[in-house]
Amino acid sequence: MAETRQAETHGFQTEVKQLLHLMIHSLYSNKEIFLRELVSNASDAADKLRFKALSDSNLLADDAELFVRVSADKDAGTITISDNGIGMTRDEVMTNLGTIAKSGTADFFSQLSGDQAKDSRLIGQFGVGFYSAFIVADSVTVRTRAAGSDTAIEWFSRGEGDYDLRDIEKAKRGTDIILHLRDDAHEYLDEWRLKSIITKYSDHLSIPVQMPKRDDDQKQDGWESVNSGQALWTREKSEISDDEYKEFYKTIAHDFDEPLLWSHNKVEGTSEYTSLLYIPKRAPWDLWNRETQHGIKLYVKRVFIMDDAKQLMPTYLRFVRGLMDSSDLPLNVSREILQDNKITRSMRNGSTKKILSMLSKLAKDDAEKYQEFWNTFGAVLKEGPAEDQGNQETIASLLRFASTHEDTSEAKVSLDAYIERMPEKQDKIYYIVADSYEAARDNPALEIFRKKGIEVLLLSERIDEWLMSHLTEYKDKSFQSVTRDDLDLGELDDAETKKQHEASEKAFETQLKRFEKALGDTVKTVRVTHRLTESPACIVTDDNDMSTQMAKLMEAAGQKVPETKYIFEINPEHTLVQRIVELDDDSRFSEWAHVLLDQATLAERGSLKDPAKFVARMNKLMLDLTQA
Ligand code: ADP
């Protein structure tokens, strides 16, 4: 006999309190979704039980017909949502209904602004789940008994700071959720109203959702299903309306918004499966966390197997929501089996191609909508070329960049558009990676490109350096960073220019030596630049060294990065350089050389190793100048 425990009161986790407060105050305009959330939880509980019973049939016992029941009690002012699913143990009740066990929750709450309209959109992205009960209820009772357990527990809360727990008797397995409705929510006591909400949101659930069956005198005569009960994705495409697809999306993705696009496919051949894949309009709150990925649900022959089937979708498509239903996998499939499995691999490859072709089509047919997608999910898609070599060219064609040929920081230019407007003699795709759009746009290394009218792609997202280290070619054109050592303008420089370069290098040879001597081993070498037209100097990275942005990325990830020495390029045409080389005093020359180097470093790196020294030097030179 299990020991009976006294009633206890527990405090909610801080985030739950915040969530409850927000929900009650920001979601009032869309109250009815509470029913969708609770029925969906009940249906999940049935799915989980069915799955567990595959290996332990005793769990179903003599109660094998799974259902969800919704009823209202007008006198008591309550609605009850019951299921005979998996139920919860005491510990599960405490974690599931007292905390929010999602990683990054605290970060999410720190984004809330207090502005109701904005926050209610955010909260929609977060997925409110069980706590949405408090939109319509001023108190909620949960009575639950876990499958296979003979004890039951009651949870009660007014949605303020805490909840009560006590042991109870409950004859059957499963969960009852009893909502004590607020005065302004009594409209939900009407059975017609409840029924219409259920058909709106939950029609497609494969589990029967039942309500009291009424005889002619309105007396209850058993229960009847109010949903059609056929899993949406098993129906013929031609019979499913757009609205049905959209509602289904909202239920499985816990999103308040409609999806941007979807695709429903029955695949036959080496492996047989159905997929229903959605691209959301908005980013979920935890998109940036590569670990949390609850995109794709896996079903086998219509039986729910698991959420978050990571093996079915590459990480760079983690914003995709939906499900896949396999006819080939065994029902007792585990995550381990999924990991290295021919069937899974073919489902994953097929769906990846499907998503990429959906996006390509959107880009072609509706550039504006595609831009909306890109602004939301582009940075995630940029992980693609590194992760998925096989589809690299297709992914690359979906990328969008800011560019010197556009006057907006918005990334709008595709590689195809870039190639199309390349001058005939150009054979490379030029780009620069910097900390910000402005730093990229104003980097001195672009001067020669501006002068020659050559387009350069301006990259400034954290992921960009990573992207460019994996993307080396597109449609036979190689990529070239404009801040790398060996800037080769190929045919863009004619023989005459090349001759001029050689001559100016020769003429400046002794001065270069003087700079080298002054700067010592703070630089790799000093040489004449061919990329500057307006600035006196710049630094570039040796082809064999790590680029500035990559080094920063690795440093930020806590890795030890060997110190990079830069190549220092000087513009002999610049007046400042011409004046400096005229200085006879070697120590003053050296001060100026260091200042030039530090300035160039600032423009490229955005920071200096020893900023105080730079400031001291500047002050000294300014003092010299003001005295003169
Ligand atoms: P989510 O469904 O997004 O995980 P919820 O707040 O809706 O978040 O629910 C939290 C957890 O509580 C669920 O993941 C589930 O484990 C549990 N739960 C909720 N409702 C039920 C139910 N009817 N039966 C069993 N477990 C439930």
Side-chain angles (χ1 to χ4, degrees), residues 89-122:
T89 62
R90 187 187 189 95
D91 284 348
E92 284 165 348
V93 169
M94 288 180 64
T95 9
N96 293 336
L97 311 184
T99 63
I100 305 176
K102 296 176 183 171
S103 58
T105 303
D107 283 353
F108 169 77
F109 280 97
S110 68
Q111 288 177 35
L112 297 174
S113 60
D115 170 347
Q116 282 192 1
K118 231 161 99 200
D119 288 349
S120 75
R121 287 206 354 243
L122 272 175

PDB file of all heavy atoms in Angstrom, residues 89-122:
ATOM      1  N   THR A  89       2.424  10.863 -12.555  1.00  0.00           N
ATOM      2  CA  THR A  89       2.764  10.551 -11.172  1.00  0.00           C
ATOM      3  C   THR A  89       2.882  11.866 -10.408  1.00  0.00           C
ATOM      4  O   THR A  89       2.875  12.941 -11.007  1.00  0.00           O
ATOM      5  CB  THR A  89       4.120   9.838 -11.095  1.00  0.00           C
ATOM      6  OG1 THR A  89       5.107  10.758 -11.603  1.00  0.00           O
ATOM      7  CG2 THR A  89       4.138   8.564 -11.929  1.00  0.00           C
ATOM      8  N   ARG A  90       3.058  11.759  -9.094  1.00  0.00           N
ATOM      9  CA  ARG A  90       3.200  12.965  -8.282  1.00  0.00           C
ATOM     10  C   ARG A  90       4.365  13.827  -8.769  1.00  0.00           C
ATOM     11  O   ARG A  90       4.227  15.041  -8.951  1.00  0.00           O
ATOM     12  CB  ARG A  90       3.413  12.537  -6.820  1.00  0.00           C
ATOM     13  CG  ARG A  90       3.415  13.686  -5.850  1.00  0.00           C
ATOM     14  CD  ARG A  90       3.792  13.203  -4.450  1.00  0.00           C
ATOM     15  NE  ARG A  90       3.584  14.300  -3.505  1.00  0.00           N
ATOM     16  CZ  ARG A  90       2.483  14.456  -2.807  1.00  0.00           C
ATOM     17  NH1 ARG A  90       1.485  13.610  -2.909  1.00  0.00           N
ATOM     18  NH2 ARG A  90       2.365  15.482  -1.978  1.00  0.00           N
ATOM     19  N   ASP A  91       5.496  13.174  -9.006  1.00  0.00           N
ATOM     20  CA  ASP A  91       6.665  13.928  -9.463  1.00  0.00           C
ATOM     21  C   ASP A  91       6.413  14.598 -10.804  1.00  0.00           C
ATOM     22  O   ASP A  91       6.812  15.734 -11.040  1.00  0.00           O
ATOM     23  CB  ASP A  91       7.886  13.010  -9.592  1.00  0.00           C
ATOM     24  CG  ASP A  91       8.460  12.676  -8.238  1.00  0.00           C
ATOM     25  OD1 ASP A  91       8.055  13.346  -7.253  1.00  0.00           O
ATOM     26  OD2 ASP A  91       9.291  11.749  -8.155  1.00  0.00           O
ATOM     27  N   GLU A  92       5.744  13.861 -11.684  1.00  0.00           N
ATOM     28  CA  GLU A  92       5.458  14.435 -13.002  1.00  0.00           C
ATOM     29  C   GLU A  92       4.527  15.634 -12.884  1.00  0.00           C
ATOM     30  O   GLU A  92       4.694  16.636 -13.574  1.00  0.00           O
ATOM     31  CB  GLU A  92       4.852  13.375 -13.929  1.00  0.00           C
ATOM     32  CG  GLU A  92       5.892  12.403 -14.445  1.00  0.00           C
ATOM     33  CD  GLU A  92       5.303  11.138 -15.060  1.00  0.00           C
ATOM     34  OE1 GLU A  92       4.090  10.881 -14.900  1.00  0.00           O
ATOM     35  OE2 GLU A  92       6.073  10.395 -15.683  1.00  0.00           O
ATOM     36  N   VAL A  93       3.553  15.527 -11.997  1.00  0.00           N
ATOM     37  CA  VAL A  93       2.649  16.659 -11.812  1.00  0.00           C
ATOM     38  C   VAL A  93       3.463  17.879 -11.384  1.00  0.00           C
ATOM     39  O   VAL A  93       3.290  18.986 -11.903  1.00  0.00           O
ATOM     40  CB  VAL A  93       1.567  16.338 -10.759  1.00  0.00           C
ATOM     41  CG1 VAL A  93       0.808  17.605 -10.370  1.00  0.00           C
ATOM     42  CG2 VAL A  93       0.599  15.300 -11.291  1.00  0.00           C
ATOM     43  N   MET A  94       4.383  17.651 -10.441  1.00  0.00           N
ATOM     44  CA  MET A  94       5.146  18.796  -9.935  1.00  0.00           C
ATOM     45  C   MET A  94       6.028  19.429 -11.012  1.00  0.00           C
ATOM     46  O   MET A  94       6.107  20.647 -11.118  1.00  0.00           O
ATOM     47  CB  MET A  94       5.983  18.393  -8.722  1.00  0.00           C
ATOM     48  CG  MET A  94       5.095  18.163  -7.515  1.00  0.00           C
ATOM     49  SD  MET A  94       6.024  17.675  -6.064  1.00  0.00           S
ATOM     50  CE  MET A  94       7.012  19.114  -5.769  1.00  0.00           C
ATOM     51  N   THR A  95       6.681  18.580 -11.816  1.00  0.00           N
ATOM     52  CA  THR A  95       7.513  19.203 -12.878  1.00  0.00           C
ATOM     53  C   THR A  95       6.651  19.770 -14.001  1.00  0.00           C
ATOM     54  O   THR A  95       6.922  20.870 -14.485  1.00  0.00           O
ATOM     55  CB  THR A  95       8.485  18.200 -13.552  1.00  0.00           C
ATOM     56  OG1 THR A  95       8.173  16.915 -13.100  1.00  0.00           O
ATOM     57  CG2 THR A  95       9.900  18.550 -13.369  1.00  0.00           C
ATOM     58  N   ASN A  96       5.645  19.018 -14.422  1.00  0.00           N
ATOM     59  CA  ASN A  96       4.898  19.451 -15.609  1.00  0.00           C
ATOM     60  C   ASN A  96       3.979  20.634 -15.334  1.00  0.00           C
ATOM     61  O   ASN A  96       3.774  21.470 -16.206  1.00  0.00           O
ATOM     62  CB  ASN A  96       4.057  18.310 -16.167  1.00  0.00           C
ATOM     63  CG  ASN A  96       4.923  17.205 -16.719  1.00  0.00           C
ATOM     64  OD1 ASN A  96       6.062  17.440 -17.083  1.00  0.00           O
ATOM     65  ND2 ASN A  96       4.389  15.999 -16.766  1.00  0.00           N
ATOM     66  N   LEU A  97       3.417  20.676 -14.140  1.00  0.00           N
ATOM     67  CA  LEU A  97       2.440  21.727 -13.875  1.00  0.00           C
ATOM     68  C   LEU A  97       2.928  22.745 -12.837  1.00  0.00           C
ATOM     69  O   LEU A  97       2.150  23.536 -12.332  1.00  0.00           O
ATOM     70  CB  LEU A  97       1.098  21.121 -13.426  1.00  0.00           C
ATOM     71  CG  LEU A  97       0.552  19.983 -14.298  1.00  0.00           C
ATOM     72  CD1 LEU A  97      -0.814  19.531 -13.802  1.00  0.00           C
ATOM     73  CD2 LEU A  97       0.464  20.389 -15.765  1.00  0.00           C
ATOM     74  N   GLY A  98       4.221  22.727 -12.566  1.00  0.00           N
ATOM     75  CA  GLY A  98       4.731  23.697 -11.602  1.00  0.00           C
ATOM     76  C   GLY A  98       5.948  24.437 -12.122  1.00  0.00           C
ATOM     77  O   GLY A  98       6.368  25.459 -11.601  1.00  0.00           O
ATOM     78  N   THR A  99       6.509  23.884 -13.193  1.00  0.00           N
ATOM     79  CA  THR A  99       7.701  24.518 -13.763  1.00  0.00           C
ATOM     80  C   THR A  99       7.531  24.545 -15.277  1.00  0.00           C
ATOM     81  O   THR A  99       6.614  23.946 -15.817  1.00  0.00           O
ATOM     82  CB  THR A  99       8.979  23.685 -13.472  1.00  0.00           C
ATOM     83  OG1 THR A  99       8.835  22.422 -14.110  1.00  0.00           O
ATOM     84  CG2 THR A  99       9.199  23.484 -11.996  1.00  0.00           C
ATOM     85  N   ILE A 100       8.406  25.264 -15.937  1.00  0.00           N
ATOM     86  CA  ILE A 100       8.435  25.177 -17.389  1.00  0.00           C
ATOM     87  C   ILE A 100       9.779  24.579 -17.726  1.00  0.00           C
ATOM     88  O   ILE A 100      10.817  25.196 -17.523  1.00  0.00           O
ATOM     89  CB  ILE A 100       8.297  26.558 -18.050  1.00  0.00           C
ATOM     90  CG1 ILE A 100       7.037  27.238 -17.541  1.00  0.00           C
ATOM     91  CG2 ILE A 100       8.261  26.423 -19.552  1.00  0.00           C
ATOM     92  CD1 ILE A 100       6.866  28.650 -18.051  1.00  0.00           C
ATOM     93  N   ALA A 101       9.735  23.343 -18.187  1.00  0.00           N
ATOM     94  CA  ALA A 101      10.988  22.614 -18.361  1.00  0.00           C
ATOM     95  C   ALA A 101      11.546  22.801 -19.756  1.00  0.00           C
ATOM     96  O   ALA A 101      11.897  21.868 -20.420  1.00  0.00           O
ATOM     97  CB  ALA A 101      10.746  21.132 -18.084  1.00  0.00           C
ATOM     98  N   LYS A 102      11.553  24.037 -20.222  1.00  0.00           N
ATOM     99  CA  LYS A 102      12.118  24.251 -21.548  1.00  0.00           C
ATOM    100  C   LYS A 102      13.415  25.012 -21.370  1.00  0.00           C
ATOM    101  O   LYS A 102      13.441  26.010 -20.665  1.00  0.00           O
ATOM    102  CB  LYS A 102      11.161  25.060 -22.415  1.00  0.00           C
ATOM    103  CG  LYS A 102       9.853  24.318 -22.672  1.00  0.00           C
ATOM    104  CD  LYS A 102       8.886  25.161 -23.457  1.00  0.00           C
ATOM    105  CE  LYS A 102       7.563  24.412 -23.626  1.00  0.00           C
ATOM    106  NZ  LYS A 102       6.501  25.212 -24.184  1.00  0.00           N
ATOM    107  N   SER A 103      14.467  24.551 -22.039  1.00  0.00           N
ATOM    108  CA  SER A 103      15.720  25.263 -21.839  1.00  0.00           C
ATOM    109  C   SER A 103      15.608  26.631 -22.495  1.00  0.00           C
ATOM    110  O   SER A 103      14.947  26.780 -23.515  1.00  0.00           O
ATOM    111  CB  SER A 103      16.878  24.469 -22.435  1.00  0.00           C
ATOM    112  OG  SER A 103      16.641  24.241 -23.797  1.00  0.00           O
ATOM    113  N   GLY A 104      16.238  27.617 -21.883  1.00  0.00           N
ATOM    114  CA  GLY A 104      16.177  28.948 -22.462  1.00  0.00           C
ATOM    115  C   GLY A 104      14.947  29.735 -22.037  1.00  0.00           C
ATOM    116  O   GLY A 104      14.726  30.847 -22.496  1.00  0.00           O
ATOM    117  N   THR A 105      14.151  29.165 -21.122  1.00  0.00           N
ATOM    118  CA  THR A 105      12.933  29.852 -20.702  1.00  0.00           C
ATOM    119  C   THR A 105      13.231  31.217 -20.085  1.00  0.00           C
ATOM    120  O   THR A 105      12.565  32.206 -20.378  1.00  0.00           O
ATOM    121  CB  THR A 105      12.180  28.987 -19.674  1.00  0.00           C
ATOM    122  OG1 THR A 105      11.922  27.738 -20.282  1.00  0.00           O
ATOM    123  CG2 THR A 105      10.870  29.624 -19.288  1.00  0.00           C
ATOM    124  N   ALA A 106      14.273  31.238 -19.251  1.00  0.00           N
ATOM    125  CA  ALA A 106      14.593  32.499 -18.579  1.00  0.00           C
ATOM    126  C   ALA A 106      14.957  33.570 -19.604  1.00  0.00           C
ATOM    127  O   ALA A 106      14.490  34.714 -19.519  1.00  0.00           O
ATOM    128  CB  ALA A 106      15.737  32.282 -17.601  1.00  0.00           C
ATOM    129  N   ASP A 107      15.729  33.175 -20.604  1.00  0.00           N
ATOM    130  CA  ASP A 107      16.087  34.110 -21.682  1.00  0.00           C
ATOM    131  C   ASP A 107      14.837  34.636 -22.360  1.00  0.00           C
ATOM    132  O   ASP A 107      14.712  35.813 -22.661  1.00  0.00           O
ATOM    133  CB  ASP A 107      16.873  33.398 -22.792  1.00  0.00           C
ATOM    134  CG  ASP A 107      18.290  33.163 -22.400  1.00  0.00           C
ATOM    135  OD1 ASP A 107      18.671  33.680 -21.326  1.00  0.00           O
ATOM    136  OD2 ASP A 107      18.997  32.461 -23.136  1.00  0.00           O
ATOM    137  N   PHE A 108      13.934  33.715 -22.596  1.00  0.00           N
ATOM    138  CA  PHE A 108      12.704  34.085 -23.273  1.00  0.00           C
ATOM    139  C   PHE A 108      11.967  35.164 -22.475  1.00  0.00           C
ATOM    140  O   PHE A 108      11.532  36.168 -23.019  1.00  0.00           O
ATOM    141  CB  PHE A 108      11.805  32.867 -23.441  1.00  0.00           C
ATOM    142  CG  PHE A 108      10.423  33.218 -23.899  1.00  0.00           C
ATOM    143  CD1 PHE A 108      10.206  33.544 -25.219  1.00  0.00           C
ATOM    144  CD2 PHE A 108       9.367  33.254 -23.015  1.00  0.00           C
ATOM    145  CE1 PHE A 108       8.943  33.892 -25.658  1.00  0.00           C
ATOM    146  CE2 PHE A 108       8.098  33.606 -23.441  1.00  0.00           C
ATOM    147  CZ  PHE A 108       7.885  33.922 -24.770  1.00  0.00           C
ATOM    148  N   PHE A 109      11.877  34.948 -21.158  1.00  0.00           N
ATOM    149  CA  PHE A 109      11.131  35.912 -20.356  1.00  0.00           C
ATOM    150  C   PHE A 109      11.831  37.261 -20.269  1.00  0.00           C
ATOM    151  O   PHE A 109      11.191  38.288 -20.128  1.00  0.00           O
ATOM    152  CB  PHE A 109      10.833  35.337 -18.967  1.00  0.00           C
ATOM    153  CG  PHE A 109       9.657  34.415 -19.021  1.00  0.00           C
ATOM    154  CD1 PHE A 109       9.830  33.052 -19.129  1.00  0.00           C
ATOM    155  CD2 PHE A 109       8.375  34.925 -19.043  1.00  0.00           C
ATOM    156  CE1 PHE A 109       8.739  32.204 -19.235  1.00  0.00           C
ATOM    157  CE2 PHE A 109       7.279  34.095 -19.151  1.00  0.00           C
ATOM    158  CZ  PHE A 109       7.459  32.726 -19.244  1.00  0.00           C
ATOM    159  N   SER A 110      13.149  37.212 -20.406  1.00  0.00           N
ATOM    160  CA  SER A 110      13.850  38.494 -20.341  1.00  0.00           C
ATOM    161  C   SER A 110      13.556  39.343 -21.578  1.00  0.00           C
ATOM    162  O   SER A 110      13.787  40.535 -21.597  1.00  0.00           O
ATOM    163  CB  SER A 110      15.351  38.263 -20.168  1.00  0.00           C
ATOM    164  OG  SER A 110      15.859  37.686 -21.345  1.00  0.00           O
ATOM    165  N   GLN A 111      13.016  38.704 -22.627  1.00  0.00           N
ATOM    166  CA  GLN A 111      12.681  39.473 -23.836  1.00  0.00           C
ATOM    167  C   GLN A 111      11.361  40.210 -23.723  1.00  0.00           C
ATOM    168  O   GLN A 111      11.042  41.060 -24.533  1.00  0.00           O
ATOM    169  CB  GLN A 111      12.504  38.542 -25.030  1.00  0.00           C
ATOM    170  CG  GLN A 111      13.743  37.924 -25.567  1.00  0.00           C
ATOM    171  CD  GLN A 111      13.365  36.984 -26.703  1.00  0.00           C
ATOM    172  OE1 GLN A 111      12.445  37.228 -27.457  1.00  0.00           O
ATOM    173  NE2 GLN A 111      14.080  35.895 -26.808  1.00  0.00           N
ATOM    174  N   LEU A 112      10.553  39.813 -22.746  1.00  0.00           N
ATOM    175  CA  LEU A 112       9.229  40.426 -22.645  1.00  0.00           C
ATOM    176  C   LEU A 112       9.368  41.888 -22.257  1.00  0.00           C
ATOM    177  O   LEU A 112      10.223  42.264 -21.466  1.00  0.00           O
ATOM    178  CB  LEU A 112       8.388  39.671 -21.619  1.00  0.00           C
ATOM    179  CG  LEU A 112       8.116  38.212 -22.013  1.00  0.00           C
ATOM    180  CD1 LEU A 112       7.421  37.483 -20.897  1.00  0.00           C
ATOM    181  CD2 LEU A 112       7.295  38.136 -23.284  1.00  0.00           C
ATOM    182  N   SER A 113       8.515  42.704 -22.857  1.00  0.00           N
ATOM    183  CA  SER A 113       8.737  44.136 -22.742  1.00  0.00           C
ATOM    184  C   SER A 113       7.735  44.824 -21.823  1.00  0.00           C
ATOM    185  O   SER A 113       7.929  45.962 -21.429  1.00  0.00           O
ATOM    186  CB  SER A 113       8.609  44.753 -24.124  1.00  0.00           C
ATOM    187  OG  SER A 113       7.302  44.482 -24.611  1.00  0.00           O
ATOM    188  N   GLY A 114       6.631  44.144 -21.512  1.00  0.00           N
ATOM    189  CA  GLY A 114       5.592  44.810 -20.748  1.00  0.00           C
ATOM    190  C   GLY A 114       4.558  45.437 -21.674  1.00  0.00           C
ATOM    191  O   GLY A 114       3.482  45.831 -21.246  1.00  0.00           O
ATOM    192  N   ASP A 115       4.899  45.517 -22.965  1.00  0.00           N
ATOM    193  CA  ASP A 115       3.939  46.028 -23.933  1.00  0.00           C
ATOM    194  C   ASP A 115       3.018  44.859 -24.323  1.00  0.00           C
ATOM    195  O   ASP A 115       3.455  43.870 -24.889  1.00  0.00           O
ATOM    196  CB  ASP A 115       4.719  46.540 -25.158  1.00  0.00           C
ATOM    197  CG  ASP A 115       3.816  46.866 -26.344  1.00  0.00           C
ATOM    198  OD1 ASP A 115       2.633  46.468 -26.326  1.00  0.00           O
ATOM    199  OD2 ASP A 115       4.302  47.519 -27.281  1.00  0.00           O
ATOM    200  N   GLN A 116       1.738  44.984 -23.988  1.00  0.00           N
ATOM    201  CA  GLN A 116       0.852  43.826 -24.092  1.00  0.00           C
ATOM    202  C   GLN A 116       0.744  43.247 -25.489  1.00  0.00           C
ATOM    203  O   GLN A 116       0.781  42.041 -25.677  1.00  0.00           O
ATOM    204  CB  GLN A 116      -0.542  44.195 -23.593  1.00  0.00           C
ATOM    205  CG  GLN A 116      -0.592  44.213 -22.080  1.00  0.00           C
ATOM    206  CD  GLN A 116      -2.007  44.287 -21.583  1.00  0.00           C
ATOM    207  OE1 GLN A 116      -2.954  44.313 -22.341  1.00  0.00           O
ATOM    208  NE2 GLN A 116      -2.149  44.322 -20.271  1.00  0.00           N
ATOM    209  N   ALA A 117       0.615  44.136 -26.476  1.00  0.00           N
ATOM    210  CA  ALA A 117       0.417  43.631 -27.827  1.00  0.00           C
ATOM    211  C   ALA A 117       1.638  42.826 -28.269  1.00  0.00           C
ATOM    212  O   ALA A 117       1.532  41.730 -28.811  1.00  0.00           O
ATOM    213  CB  ALA A 117       0.194  44.789 -28.785  1.00  0.00           C
ATOM    214  N   LYS A 118       2.815  43.385 -27.964  1.00  0.00           N
ATOM    215  CA  LYS A 118       4.043  42.726 -28.385  1.00  0.00           C
ATOM    216  C   LYS A 118       4.228  41.402 -27.627  1.00  0.00           C
ATOM    217  O   LYS A 118       4.559  40.381 -28.202  1.00  0.00           O
ATOM    218  CB  LYS A 118       5.225  43.652 -28.096  1.00  0.00           C
ATOM    219  CG  LYS A 118       6.113  43.823 -29.303  1.00  0.00           C
ATOM    220  CD  LYS A 118       6.982  45.030 -29.208  1.00  0.00           C
ATOM    221  CE  LYS A 118       8.383  44.709 -28.758  1.00  0.00           C
ATOM    222  NZ  LYS A 118       9.062  45.871 -28.227  1.00  0.00           N
ATOM    223  N   ASP A 119       3.992  41.480 -26.324  1.00  0.00           N
ATOM    224  CA  ASP A 119       4.204  40.291 -25.510  1.00  0.00           C
ATOM    225  C   ASP A 119       3.234  39.170 -25.862  1.00  0.00           C
ATOM    226  O   ASP A 119       3.575  37.998 -25.786  1.00  0.00           O
ATOM    227  CB  ASP A 119       4.068  40.642 -24.027  1.00  0.00           C
ATOM    228  CG  ASP A 119       5.260  41.446 -23.564  1.00  0.00           C
ATOM    229  OD1 ASP A 119       6.237  41.530 -24.337  1.00  0.00           O
ATOM    230  OD2 ASP A 119       5.217  41.984 -22.455  1.00  0.00           O
ATOM    231  N   SER A 120       2.014  39.551 -26.249  1.00  0.00           N
ATOM    232  CA  SER A 120       1.068  38.479 -26.521  1.00  0.00           C
ATOM    233  C   SER A 120       1.489  37.747 -27.792  1.00  0.00           C
ATOM    234  O   SER A 120       1.244  36.565 -27.954  1.00  0.00           O
ATOM    235  CB  SER A 120      -0.357  39.004 -26.629  1.00  0.00           C
ATOM    236  OG  SER A 120      -0.542  39.655 -27.839  1.00  0.00           O
ATOM    237  N   ARG A 121       2.175  38.448 -28.696  1.00  0.00           N
ATOM    238  CA  ARG A 121       2.699  37.745 -29.877  1.00  0.00           C
ATOM    239  C   ARG A 121       3.827  36.808 -29.484  1.00  0.00           C
ATOM    240  O   ARG A 121       3.898  35.673 -29.925  1.00  0.00           O
ATOM    241  CB  ARG A 121       3.171  38.742 -30.934  1.00  0.00           C
ATOM    242  CG  ARG A 121       2.002  39.407 -31.609  1.00  0.00           C
ATOM    243  CD  ARG A 121       2.293  39.916 -33.018  1.00  0.00           C
ATOM    244  NE  ARG A 121       3.652  39.808 -33.465  1.00  0.00           N
ATOM    245  CZ  ARG A 121       4.408  40.853 -33.779  1.00  0.00           C
ATOM    246  NH1 ARG A 121       3.948  42.077 -33.661  1.00  0.00           N
ATOM    247  NH2 ARG A 121       5.628  40.661 -34.210  1.00  0.00           N
ATOM    248  N   LEU A 122       4.681  37.308 -28.599  1.00  0.00           N
ATOM    249  CA  LEU A 122       5.780  36.463 -28.137  1.00  0.00           C
ATOM    250  C   LEU A 122       5.270  35.213 -27.432  1.00  0.00           C
ATOM    251  O   LEU A 122       5.765  34.114 -27.630  1.00  0.00           O
ATOM    252  CB  LEU A 122       6.650  37.241 -27.145  1.00  0.00           C
ATOM    253  CG  LEU A 122       7.779  38.065 -27.738  1.00  0.00           C
ATOM    254  CD1 LEU A 122       8.449  38.846 -26.639  1.00  0.00           C
ATOM    255  CD2 LEU A 122       8.795  37.158 -28.414  1.00  0.00           C
TER     256      LEU A 122
END
